[in-house]
Amino acid sequence: MQKGNIGVTTENIFPVIKKFLYSDHEIFLREIVSNAVDATQKLKTLTSMGEFKGELGDLTIQVKLDKENGTLTISDRGVGLTDEEIEKYINQIAFSGANDFLEKYKNDANAIIGHFGLGFYSSFMVSKKVEIVTKSYKEDASAMKWSCDGSPEYTLEETTKEERGTDIILYIDDESKEFLDENRISSLLKKYCSFLPVPIAFGKKKEWKDGKEVETDEYNIINDPNPLWTRKPSELKDEDYKEFYRKLYPMSDEPLFWIHLNVDYPFNLTGILYFPRIKSNLDLTKNKIQLYSNQVYVTDSVEGIVPDFLTLLHGVIDSPDIPLNVSRSYLQSDSNVKKISSYITKKVADRLQAIFKNDRKQFEEKWDDLKIFINYGMLTQDDFYDKAKNFALLKDSDNKYYTFEEYQTLIKENQTDKDGTLIYLYSSNKEEQYSFIENATNKGYNVLIMDGQLDVALVSMLEQKFEKSRFTRVDSDTVDNLIVKEDRKKSDLEAIKEEALNVLFRSQLPAIEKVDFHVSAQALGETGAPIVITQSEYMRRMKEMANIQAGMSFYGEMPDMFNVVVNSDHRLIKEILLEEDQQCSSEIKPIQEEIDQLSRKREELKKAQEGKKEEEISTAEKDELTDIEKKQDELTQRKESLWSEYGSKNKVIRQLIDLALLQNNMLKGEALNNFIKRSIDLIPGEK
Ligand code: ADP
């Protein structure tokens, strides 16, 4: 028997392995099983090169639990190891600068293991003793048994072993008993080994017989050695992709569609990306993509590795160029990984472009579900935007879909304002903004539906990307002012009548917290609505952006500002003014006359003071002016309170305001209740 010290420069490497690699203990299984896979693959390669002429036989890798002896054994029928190879590959491990490195990465087991090529030694994280029983495929090789109890000392001796290959026997230590639990091992195998390229059996299949579970002779194979992404797309049917998706995500709905990646230049990459069907925000989770390196599972936290927007997709990416055992921070800065990331973006964009081109109907049908992914990509990645702008769609209120270019052509003629700016009209809610949409379409405008989660941000971005264009929500002004084609037609009302309307309507506007109303009169035509409530695009958008962006909370705190536009052409408004004239003019007229008189006087005084310096104006002159202004204010207040008193009793005004509020979903609670009662009373019939 040979005894020796394992060739590490750091004497105490095992305590380090145990202590520092604590959090990631479970990966030992991946390491040991992947070694078994490698040994098996090597033997197959040797066979195909004619260097091994024996029988390959059954190459299934076996994972066995022995609870009584407290061991976990991984057996393969691969190349095996000769005594020299054990000496070379197991005993002599080169650690260069080990101490520095360990210090730096002590919290990242993957990094340490990867750096040292320490795969096999990770078994000591969970074992008090490890044995290798192995017989090389080489002729005349004798079977060897290597044993090590976790100190740098090992023993190596000849043994008897019938079959070619290697058994790695782990004597699980007391702190790691969990790895003797069948369910735990089963789920680890599922996580790390599901798609390894050699069949792996975890014990035997079980069946129910006479009321109890018994083992059958059949292997319990836990992996799919030929996963879908390794196969040729031309050989696969839709159903295959769907089935694979169900296997990966048993709880998810059928995907919208998928992209099969298959690249061998400038690097190797295969994979299948699925666009999931999203039912609600809750479904939108990142990190569903699984990363593999030669079918060995690496990670499913892919943030920073694949482009951000693709983290919303599902599926697998497999590339031998993705290093298996390195830290996440390393992965994120690795130039290969970066190249992969931008390549995937390009591929995904190309695929979407192709689907759009070949089957636009299907693409349109899926657009509503697809749009969140594409919009997110456009918002977060310029190179994706540059491609997606050719297939991203806009939907109008008739559910017709247009590309950006098509849409621009469609509205150019009719929706360019007097300054040559193209106005994109949109609605964020087809139901709530129904009347505004109708008014706009009746005027020959087209209205886009922008009701997606990302549309607020998208609108801002498109405004910057599109030349001389602006987005205006359909309820942000009266229909005539949405797209200003010539200078605005002023209401031909006398100033005093406009003032009256303003006060009359204000007298009945409800006080709503954090809502401000601004009343104005406009000539909207005899068939236009008597009152229209609009909200300015600018302020509303600032508030919307405040909700999605940090650092804009100032706007978030501002009240909502609504414009109440009274249509001076409408018969009901005309009637209100007429009645106001009859009821109030006897009192208002003299007040107004007085106000006008004061105004003239004030003008004269001002004129006299013109050109004079502050100190040249006498105190008496100043006082007179202040006096006039004070009187004017008093009179105006009196006038307004007269109107207000009259207005607050006017039932038509009340009803008109409520109708307008109702149309904007602003009539709620008690006010709504009162409105309904009042409206019922208006219905003629026997009381
Ligand atoms: P790596 O796999 O990264 O080379 P390991 O420490 O996991 O590092 O393994 C060291 C070497 O031991 C391997 O390169 C291989 O030559 C040998 N080895 C490990 N496991 C087996 C096995 N099951 N059969 C044959 N050789 C093995």
Side-chain angles (χ1 to χ4, degrees):
M1 195 206 297
Q2 178 189 341
K3 280 195 178 188
N5 274 317
I6 293 167
V8 291
T9 52
T10 309
E11 266 289 302
N12 50 359
I13 185 68
F14 289 114
V16 169
I17 292 177
K18 286 209 174 195
K19 191 170 157 206
F20 290 137
L21 310 193
Y22 185 77
S23 61
D24 290 339
H25 277 179
E26 61 178 42
I27 61 159
F28 78 92
L29 191 60
R30 175 187 78 183
E31 296 301 316
I32 304 299
V33 177
S34 329
N35 279 350
V37 168
D38 289 345
T40 310
Q41 301 279 64
K42 271 184 209 158
L43 190 70
K44 283 201 218 163
T45 312
L46 290 171
T47 304
S48 64
M49 298 191 319
E51 286 181 32
F52 174 65
K53 298 201 169 63
E55 281 285 314
L56 281 178
D58 176 14
L59 292 176
T60 305
I61 292 164
Q62 299 207 44
V63 180
K64 281 190 201 129
L65 260 182
D66 181 344
K67 279 198 185 166
E68 260 152 60
N69 293 311
T71 60
L72 178 66
T73 303
I74 295 96
S75 310
D76 65 68
R77 298 201 63 245
V79 285
L81 289 155
T82 62
D83 52 349
E84 281 148 40
E85 284 165 345
I86 293 179
E87 181 59 34
K88 191 166 159 199
Y89 298 122
I90 303 290
N91 294 339
Q92 308 293 332
I93 333 168
F95 288 96
S96 51
N99 281 324
D100 291 353
F101 192 84
L102 283 177
E103 196 41 47
K104 193 163 166 203
Y105 288 105
K106 60 186 166 200
N107 296 319
D108 193 340
N110 267 329
I112 297 179
I113 292 173
H115 183 81
F116 293 106
L118 205 63
F120 164 69
Y121 280 100
S122 67
S123 55
F124 286 96
M125 293 193 295
V126 299
S127 312
K128 52 186 179 231
K129 183 168 88 173
V130 177
E131 285 174 3
I132 305 174
V133 178
T134 182
K135 190 174 171 188
S136 168
Y137 75 99
K138 289 177 182 159
E139 270 170 53
D140 307 327
S142 28
M144 300 302 297
K145 177 170 160 184
W146 178 93
S147 178
C148 179
D149 65 1
S151 69
E153 280 174 14
Y154 68 88
T155 60
L156 182 63
E157 61 192 316
E158 280 196 23
T159 186
T160 48
K161 184 179 191 312
E162 287 286 306
E163 302 220 46
R164 175 201 71 226
T166 305
D167 301 331
I168 306 284
I169 305 156
L170 310 179
Y171 292 81
I172 301 297
D173 64 31
D174 295 341
E175 300 95 81
S176 308
K177 285 268 186 281
E178 56 181 301
F179 298 113
L180 289 171
D181 176 46
E182 197 175 323
N183 290 329
R184 178 86 166 110
I185 296 299
S186 182
S187 69
L188 286 181
L189 288 170
K190 189 162 188 264
K191 176 170 173 188
Y192 291 109
C193 308
S194 275
F195 301 110
L196 285 174
V198 177
I200 298 159
F202 182 40
K204 297 282 167 64
K205 270 201 177 138
K206 289 178 182 160
E207 64 178 19
W208 287 93
K209 214 171 188 179
D210 306 327
K212 47 180 187 201
E213 227 182 2
V214 291
E215 280 196 350
T216 64
D217 292 336
E218 218 182 312
Y219 282 141
N220 172 33
I221 302 290
I222 57 91
N223 63 331
D224 169 6
N226 303 304
L228 211 64
W229 75 84
T230 62
R231 291 159 60 188
K232 281 208 190 81
S234 57
E235 291 166 2
L236 298 169
K237 294 196 194 67
D238 286 1
E239 191 41 48
D240 296 324
Y241 288 103
K242 289 179 192 167
E243 195 191 307
F244 186 63
Y245 186 75
R246 281 196 292 273
K247 212 161 35 173
L248 290 174
Y249 312 102
M251 309 304 271
S252 294
D253 275 1
E254 203 169 272
L256 291 170
F257 57 73
W258 47 87
I259 294 176
H260 196 146
L261 302 163
N262 202 340
V263 191
D264 42 36
Y265 181 83
F267 39 74
N268 272 299
L269 183 129
T270 48
I272 301 171
L273 293 179
Y274 290 93
F275 285 77
R277 203 175 286 273
I278 302 287
K279 276 172 299 188
S280 69
N281 282 353
L282 290 177
D283 291 343
L284 211 55
T285 47
K286 292 189 168 186
N287 296 332
K288 282 285 188 89
I289 294 183
Q290 303 177 354
L291 221 53
Y292 289 81
S293 176
N294 278 328
Q295 295 173 235
V296 183
Y297 174 85
V298 181
T299 181
D300 65 358
S301 54
V302 295
E303 249 168 294
I305 298 167
V306 307
D308 198 34
F309 78 100
L310 291 181
T311 60
L312 300 176
L313 303 188
H314 294 175
V316 294
I317 292 172
D318 188 343
S319 173
D321 296 312
I322 295 173
L324 182 58
N325 280 320
V326 293
S327 69
R328 287 186 45 71
S329 55
Y330 180 83
L331 268 188
Q332 288 167 11
S333 60
D334 185 77
S335 63
N336 258 336
V337 173
K338 275 203 185 119
K339 258 185 256 157
I340 290 173
S341 161
S342 68
Y343 192 82
I344 297 173
T345 304
K346 185 174 153 348
K347 267 282 159 191
V348 168
D350 288 348
R351 229 359 234 138
L352 289 167
Q353 172 80 57
I355 297 174
F356 168 72
K357 219 176 126 210
N358 299 334
D359 193 351
R360 175 153 178 175
K361 194 163 161 278
Q362 193 212 161
F363 193 81
E364 287 187 0
E365 274 163 15
K366 291 182 175 166
W367 175 255
D368 289 357
D369 292 313
L370 198 58
K371 134 184 178 148
I372 183 133
F373 302 106
I374 296 182
N375 287 350
Y376 190 44
M378 295 170 86
L379 282 163
T380 51
Q381 240 180 308
D382 264 345
D383 51 345
F384 187 74
Y385 176 88
D386 289 338
K387 287 184 165 276
K389 66 173 193 268
N390 299 314
F391 57 75
L393 298 178
L394 297 168
K395 179 167 88 166
D396 76 3
S397 57
D398 285 335
N399 295 330
K400 281 207 193 97
Y401 293 89
Y402 308 86
T403 62
F404 293 170
E405 207 183 298
E406 288 164 358
Y407 195 71
Q408 195 190 342
T409 314
L410 179 82
I411 61 168
K412 198 166 190 127
E413 181 84 11
N414 205 17
Q415 294 183 208
T416 304
D417 75 3
K418 66 182 168 62
D419 302 320
T421 305
L422 194 57
I423 308 294
Y424 290 72
L425 297 178
Y426 70 99
S427 159
S428 62
N429 190 321
K430 210 171 158 176
E431 293 292 311
E432 288 179 6
Q433 292 149 14
Y434 181 87
S435 64
F436 291 98
I437 297 174
E438 196 185 57
N439 284 342
T441 46
N442 283 346
K443 211 175 155 68
Y445 296 154
N446 189 285
V447 178
L448 292 171
I449 302 299
M450 301 288 250
D451 55 2
Q453 284 160 269
L454 298 176
D455 278 334
V456 170
L458 191 76
V459 159
S460 293
M461 183 190 70
L462 293 182
E463 233 166 33
Q464 278 163 28
K465 297 265 184 193
F466 294 172
E467 246 170 77
K468 260 208 132 187
S469 298
R470 210 172 59 230
F471 280 73
T472 300
R473 205 166 89 177
V474 74
D475 62 343
S476 65
D477 213 326
T478 54
V479 70
D480 287 325
N481 291 324
L482 281 174
I483 301 170
V484 182
K485 297 197 175 165
E486 56 207 60
D487 285 319
R488 220 202 229 183
K489 187 171 119 199
K490 273 290 275 174
S491 155
D492 38 19
L493 275 188
E494 288 172 71
I496 178 138
K497 290 294 155 199
E498 203 166 329
E499 218 185 324
L501 276 182
N502 195 319
V503 181
L504 291 180
F505 277 86
R506 253 192 316 179
S507 74
Q508 296 231 25
L509 278 167
I512 305 176
E513 209 187 322
K514 283 186 100 184
V515 172
D516 278 354
F517 291 104
H518 175 261
V519 182
S520 66
Q522 265 180 46
L524 302 176
E526 282 170 25
T527 53
I531 303 187
V532 183
I533 299 181
T534 66
Q535 192 183 14
S536 122
E537 179 78 12
Y538 178 77
M539 274 311 291
R540 196 205 66 244
R541 225 195 275 177
M542 284 303 165
K543 291 199 73 163
E544 285 169 351
M545 291 303 284
N547 286 336
I548 56 173
Q549 245 168 54
M552 282 184 67
S553 55
F554 162 72
Y555 285 104
E557 293 303 309
M558 300 276 280
D560 281 316
M561 298 221 258
F562 291 94
N563 296 312
V564 177
V565 182
V566 181
N567 178 7
S568 57
D569 288 339
H570 198 277
R571 68 178 167 87
L572 289 172
I573 306 299
K574 284 183 178 156
E575 270 169 37
I576 288 170
L577 281 177
L578 207 69
E579 219 187 275
E580 175 271 330
D581 203 56
Q582 287 160 3
Q583 302 284 326
C584 309
S585 64
S586 59
E587 280 177 281
I588 298 271
K589 239 186 194 141
I591 301 175
Q592 189 61 40
E593 270 161 18
E594 217 176 318
I595 294 177
D596 291 345
Q597 215 176 336
L598 287 167
S599 286
R600 284 193 291 275
K601 190 120 184 244
R602 187 170 168 271
E603 284 305 301
E604 278 167 28
L605 281 172
K606 280 241 162 201
K607 217 165 195 172
Q609 286 176 10
E610 225 166 74
K612 280 193 193 166
K613 288 202 185 102
E614 182 70 21
E615 58 270 20
E616 291 169 346
I617 305 169
S618 72
T619 329
E621 278 176 302
K622 280 183 193 166
D623 285 350
E624 195 179 359
L625 197 61
T626 329
D627 211 41
I628 289 176
E629 280 166 1
K630 215 172 117 201
K631 261 196 201 137
Q632 263 183 321
D633 279 350
E634 275 167 18
L635 287 167
T636 308
Q637 258 177 39
R638 229 167 76 207
K639 178 175 71 172
E640 288 190 357
S641 66
L642 278 170
W643 272 330
S644 205
E645 203 191 297
Y646 167 73
S648 61
K649 283 183 287 201
N650 187 310
K651 286 191 176 146
V652 181
I653 295 179
R654 163 100 285 191
Q655 194 74 357
L656 287 178
I657 286 179
D658 278 356
L659 283 168
L661 289 170
L662 190 67
Q663 196 159 41
N664 283 45
N665 303 296
M666 293 169 80
L667 196 64
K668 305 223 161 100
E670 194 186 347
L672 177 61
N673 206 25
N674 290 341
F675 166 78
I676 291 173
K677 280 192 194 146
R678 208 177 331 118
S679 302
I680 291 171
D681 288 341
L682 288 175
I683 301 173
E686 307 256 331
K687 290 258 158 96

